[in-house]
Amino acid sequence: MIYEYALVFLGAAIPWLEIALVIPLGIVWGLSPFWVMLLAFVGNMVTVLALIIGFDRFKDWYNKRQEAKGKTQNKKSERAKRIWNKYGLPGLALLGPILIGTHIAAFIGMTLGATKKNTTVWLTISIAVWTLAFGILTALGFDFFTRQL
């Protein structure tokens, strides 16, 4: 029985499977909705955080390399980053899990200049909201259909 929960954790950590598929499958298999949602959330967050931290370190290295070559960012780029962090990242993070996946949303956000902190905060909120939505709706729907049959 414990290996099934381990599979939920691993499935949520793998890009493309993630919470949208793993949570409903875990609940339909008869696992506890609470543990499925918790393990799926943690599994997904572990790999998303690893991606964010890794990308941030790469970005720091790249920027130092560009500065050593004498290249700097202009004021327009800085302004675009501020606007992106304020308005673009929340939408991408909230829609990412159902449209493109959390890992790709994190990658796109970081590529477009979002900060590590903002990306982490918004994706944590998004993954938590979608975990609750998928978990509660699946548990209620599955319970409804099993009672009707």
Side-chain angles (χ1 to χ4, degrees):
M1 179 92 148
I2 206 148
Y3 73 91
E4 293 170 331
Y5 289 105
L7 289 175
V8 168
F9 177 85
L10 292 173
I14 297 172
W16 301 108
L17 291 181
E18 300 189 19
I19 58 176
L21 180 64
V22 172
I23 291 173
L25 284 177
I27 293 171
V28 169
W29 280 338
L31 301 176
S32 164
F34 172 78
W35 289 110
V36 167
M37 292 186 318
L38 180 67
L39 291 170
F41 174 80
V42 172
N44 198 234
M45 282 303 300
V46 166
T47 54
V48 168
L49 288 174
L51 177 87
I52 291 169
I53 291 167
F55 191 91
D56 191 59
R57 288 186 180 169
F58 171 78
K59 187 169 62 171
D60 289 343
W61 169 82
Y62 181 78
N63 288 340
K64 287 178 186 175
R65 186 172 174 191
Q66 292 301 317
E67 287 175 11
K69 291 181 180 180
K71 298 179 182 177
T72 60
Q73 291 185 343
N74 59 24
K75 289 184 179 183
K76 286 183 181 180
S77 295
E78 291 298 323
R79 184 170 183 260
K81 279 185 182 182
R82 281 195 314 274
I83 292 170
W84 164 250
N85 278 328
K86 191 171 185 179
Y87 301 109
L89 184 60
L92 177 67
L94 292 172
L95 294 175
I98 57 169
L99 296 179
I100 57 176
T102 54
H103 299 86
I104 295 172
F107 183 79
I108 291 172
M110 295 293 287
T111 301
L112 294 174
T115 63
K116 179 172 64 171
K117 178 186 173 187
N118 285 346
T119 305
T120 302
V121 167
W122 279 109
L123 278 168
T124 302
I125 291 168
S126 175
I127 293 169
V129 166
W130 284 110
T131 296
L132 289 171
F134 290 130
I136 291 169
L137 291 175
T138 302
L140 292 176
F142 188 65
D143 185 51
F144 175 76
F145 283 112
T146 56
R147 286 184 186 190
Q148 297 300 319
L149 299 174

